[in-house]
Amino acid sequence: MSGSGAVLRRFLGALGTVFSRYWTVLALLLAWELWVRARHLNAIVVPAPYSVVSDVFDNPSAYAGPLGHTLLNSVVGLALGMVLGLWCAMAVWFSRMLSGLLTPLLLVMRSVPVVVMIPVVARVVGFGTPAVTTITTLVSFFPTFVMVLSGLRAAPTAMTDVFAVLGASRPMVLRRLLLPHAVPELLVALRLTAPSAVLAAMLAEYLLGRSGLGTLFADAVVFVAPQRAWGAALIATVVSVACFVAARGVERRYAGRFR
Amino acid sequence: MGKSAPASIPPTDPDTGGGPAGSTEEGTAPDPDADPRTESADAGSPRAALELSGVTKHFPLRRRNTVALDGVDLTVEQGEFVSLLGPSGCGKSTVLRLLAGLEEPTTGRVRVHDRPPAALVNDHRLGIAFQQHALLPWASIADNVALPFRVAGRPVDRARVTELLRLTGLEEFAEARPRQLSGGMRQRAAIARALALNPEVLLLDEPFGSLDAVTRRRLNFELARIWSEQRITTLLVTHDVEEAVLLANRVVVLTGRPGRVRHVEHIDLPRPRGGRLTREPRFHEVVDRLTALLDGDLASRAGADEGATAQTGRRWLRRRGR
Ligand SMILES: Nc1ncnc2c1ncn2[C@@H]1O[C@H](COP(=O)(O)OP(=O)(O)OP(=O)(O)O)[C@@H](O)[C@H]1O
Ligand SMILES: [Mg+2]
């Protein structure tokens, strides 16, 4: 009896925390619901939050498949982008020539918005999954490259001196000093890119893809199913926020060990 | 005071085939009974392990040009222990950094075993403990001590690492991270790391700076023991005059900025120098003379400001009183 009471109390406590932190979001949803009901707006204009949520819960199978695709696309793109960013940062650190070659190019490319890149990518790699993966990769690449490179270049002189007098080769310095030192930056890059990778994957699916939440959204718009379209957006938002929270958790847990 | 676990370190360096690390490259192990002092101390002597001749070092800062060292001649012979004393900011760390190849002299010549300093570094034969410990925060203390093995691409000698941790009293903290240790413990870990590969040359920059007097003396005696077993050519920077005299064959006193060699003192006290010696008058006679040299230097620099001179004088006296 007391055990279940404690569980209930803890549950209520957690609920209280959520409520006190995110009450603005809840208030917004409530206002939205009331507004739609009061004005008797058509669902095509704007569906009420409750109807969107109930569409998601009533048709989980309609969402599960596309969600799986989007998640796969994001994870693959995120992993590829981060690995590529890490490699490029190491290459630029290693070679002055590569640095001169790559840095301006990459910085110019970084300032080009994703949306502008999409048609170019479509031309180069075509439509479907390759295009989606390419765009997600590009989106995750730049923050990783920039953050990791700055981490590699910011090792304290006291430590680089230690490696210098130990007679360390450059690869050894990279492996034993600079890469561990840049782990916090890598984790910051993860926190920055994980949510946007999901959204970039969805955007690419919407424009170029053949599966995933973006495609689900596009199809729902075509077939005038506003609850479905908004449901896809809702799920993408939730997943994106979850990615952010997870990445931030990883960062908080591990970044402190490296400084 | 002299009570300490005299754990002996087996010399485990693969390069010297298990011989003492102090042995020269020609394979002539130095006779432990030979007094290095009796050998020629001239610059350019063939036995000179570390040699600075006519070294000046300028640090160009935006407006001003800091002269850290001004015409320093200094030799440390093979297997010799030299202490370097001098007021703060006189360029002691700069001397060490020059010998480690981390800085280039503005003019003059720096040689280690008659080669550029980089040569010894590339052979992984230099051990150095910096003023700041500079341990890797993500690695355990044991891994930090084992770092020189890894950097040199050699298999980590676990027994050696454990031995060094015992020597520095850090056994229980082998798996701790540097941030979990006190400042003095981190310094000890840095010394253990400097000794890991049985270096031929040991450069120590105020290695016992943040230790209490008792631990400091204990590690002094440990260092003296390691030195007399292995005859590692050692240059020790310190502010503690007693420590300098206790350990060294020679004490070199630098002037305040810019650093010049003010005085070289040969220490003739017999070895091993135990806790008893530190209470003998002849020991204090040397310590007092060197302290006065430092004191005089401070007094001349302080100039008209009598108050400041009295204060610094008191500080030196308090140090000596330990
Ligand atoms: N990298 C540097 N850039 C500019 N000036 C420097 C640099 N390193 C040392 N100096 C200057 O050279 C002088 C000597 O410095 P150094 O660190 O060798 O002194 P020190 O004798 O070791 O002092 P302390 O006993 O306080 O450690 C100081 O005046 C310092 O300002
Ligand atoms: Mg110094």
Side-chain angles (χ1 to χ4, degrees):
Chain A
M1 186 66 212
S2 67
S4 71
V7 169
L8 186 70
R9 216 172 309 132
R10 196 179 301 166
F11 175 74
L12 287 178
L15 208 65
T17 317
V18 169
F19 191 78
S20 65
R21 253 188 227 166
Y22 302 107
W23 65 270
T24 41
V25 179
L26 297 176
L28 199 70
L29 287 175
L30 195 67
W32 176 358
E33 181 82 43
L34 291 175
W35 179 60
V36 170
R37 292 201 179 191
R39 301 288 299 272
H40 300 288
L41 289 173
N42 191 314
I44 295 170
V45 180
V46 52
Y50 179 74
S51 68
V52 173
V53 173
S54 59
D55 186 63
V56 173
F57 280 101
D58 293 345
N59 309 289
S61 59
Y63 290 96
L67 174 63
H69 273 284
T70 303
L71 280 180
L72 189 67
N73 282 332
S74 335
V75 167
V76 169
L78 184 69
L80 278 178
M82 290 192 78
V83 167
L84 216 62
L86 190 64
W87 274 104
C88 279
M90 290 200 295
V92 163
W93 176 84
F94 227 93
S95 144
R96 199 164 286 253
M97 200 194 71
L98 271 181
S99 166
L101 205 73
L102 280 178
T103 315
L105 198 74
L106 293 176
L107 288 183
V108 167
M109 274 178 77
R110 188 170 70 126
S111 17
V112 177
V114 196
V115 186
V116 180
M117 275 185 227
I118 286 177
V120 182
V121 169
R123 267 289 160 78
V124 177
V125 297
F127 289 77
T129 310
V132 175
T133 309
T134 307
I135 286 162
T136 324
T137 305
L138 279 175
V139 164
S140 336
F141 169 81
F142 291 112
T144 311
F145 171 75
V146 174
M147 293 303 302
V148 170
L149 187 58
S150 78
L152 292 181
R153 286 179 171 161
T157 25
M159 282 184 198
T160 50
D161 284 351
V162 167
F163 277 74
V165 297
L166 288 175
S169 59
R170 269 169 77 78
M172 190 58 84
V173 172
L174 187 67
R175 181 170 145 214
R176 297 247 170 235
L177 174 63
L178 301 182
L179 283 178
H181 182 79
V183 166
E185 272 84 3
L186 190 72
L187 294 178
V188 171
L190 178 69
R191 167 164 58 80
L192 294 177
T193 46
S196 51
V198 175
L199 298 183
M202 202 179 146
L203 178 68
E205 285 162 4
Y206 175 70
L207 294 171
L208 306 170
R210 299 204 179 88
S211 57
L213 284 176
T215 312
L216 181 73
F217 183 82
D219 292 348
V221 169
V222 170
F223 295 112
V224 199
Q227 274 87 2
R228 190 56 49 89
W230 285 72
L234 173 69
I235 286 183
T237 310
V238 168
V239 168
S240 179
V241 168
C243 284
F244 175 78
V245 170
R248 192 182 56 180
V250 170
E251 190 195 344
R252 282 193 183 158
R253 186 162 160 72
Y254 294 104
R257 298 187 186 183
F258 292 86
R259 285 291 151 82
Chain B
M1 233 213 260
K3 192 173 86 61
S4 58
S8 79
I9 312 174
T12 49
D13 183 65
D15 287 357
T16 52
S23 62
T24 57
E25 281 177 345
E26 302 83 45
T28 53
D31 181 357
D33 294 319
D35 185 358
R37 202 175 54 74
T38 56
E39 265 124 35
S40 161
D42 295 339
S45 109
R47 301 272 294 175
L50 310 179
E51 184 188 347
L52 276 76
S53 41
V55 167
T56 59
K57 177 68 189 171
H58 297 206
F59 287 105
L61 288 176
R62 248 162 272 148
R63 292 273 164 78
R64 289 178 319 146
N65 191 21
T66 311
V67 182
L69 297 172
D70 186 17
V72 171
D73 291 302
L74 178 71
T75 50
V76 180
E77 282 153 36
Q78 187 74 52
E80 198 186 12
F81 195 122
V82 171
S83 298
L84 199 54
L85 283 174
S88 178
C90 73
K92 302 180 297 298
S93 299
T94 307
V95 167
L96 256 51
R97 292 176 62 82
L98 285 165
L99 286 167
L102 291 171
E103 306 275 2
E104 287 291 322
T106 311
T107 61
R109 205 168 68 125
V110 179
R111 306 289 277 180
V112 176
H113 291 151
D114 222 18
R115 297 185 297 171
L120 193 76
V121 163
N122 291 334
D123 293 347
H124 313 289
R125 307 297 298 133
L126 177 73
I128 184 165
F130 290 98
Q131 212 166 350
Q132 301 141 308
H133 55 80
L135 299 168
L136 302 178
W138 53 82
S140 68
I141 294 303
D143 283 338
N144 266 294
V145 174
L147 183 72
F149 286 99
R150 300 215 163 94
V151 165
R154 296 181 195 163
V156 174
D157 183 343
R158 283 284 156 207
R160 171 88 180 140
V161 172
T162 314
E163 194 61 52
L164 285 166
L165 290 175
R166 182 177 314 147
L167 187 74
T168 46
L170 292 171
E171 271 172 307
E172 293 160 49
F173 297 91
E175 293 313 313
R177 308 281 137 177
R179 104 173 53 85
Q180 295 165 306
L181 267 56
S182 73
M185 290 158 98
R186 287 179 215 165
Q187 278 192 327
R188 285 185 264 158
I191 296 167
R193 180 176 66 186
L195 289 169
L197 291 182
N198 283 309
E200 251 172 279
V201 173
L202 192 58
L203 304 176
L204 302 171
D205 198 347
E206 296 179 37
F208 310 121
S210 49
L211 294 180
D212 65 284
V214 174
T215 314
R216 185 172 191 140
R217 278 293 167 265
R218 191 178 69 76
L219 286 178
N220 284 167
F221 292 129
E222 287 296 346
L223 185 59
R225 194 184 51 72
I226 292 168
W227 178 83
S228 56
E229 274 174 13
Q230 306 185 11
R231 290 291 165 123
I232 309 170
T233 307
T234 307
L235 185 57
L236 168 79
V237 169
T238 178
H239 283 299
D240 183 337
V241 182
E242 283 195 20
E243 176 177 284
V245 174
L246 195 60
L247 293 169
N249 300 115
R250 275 191 300 147
V251 177
V252 175
V253 184
L254 296 184
T255 60
R257 211 169 51 218
R260 296 194 190 93
V261 176
R262 183 194 178 97
H263 177 76
V264 180
E265 178 87 21
H266 290 275
I267 310 294
D268 289 318
L269 301 168
R271 288 179 189 272
R273 300 174 185 161
R276 188 131 59 86
L277 182 72
T278 60
R279 292 184 289 276
E280 283 181 27
R282 54 180 173 165
F283 177 78
H284 281 291
E285 196 252 316
V286 178
V287 170
D288 287 345
R289 196 167 57 243
L290 293 175
T291 307
L293 273 173
L294 284 165
D295 216 0
D297 187 57
L298 287 168
S300 68
R301 283 179 72 211
D305 192 347
E306 291 294 329
T309 313
Q311 214 168 5
T312 37
R314 265 204 299 283
R315 191 163 61 85
W316 283 108
L317 284 175
R318 202 178 323 128
R319 257 180 212 289
R320 209 181 58 66
R322 282 217 288 260

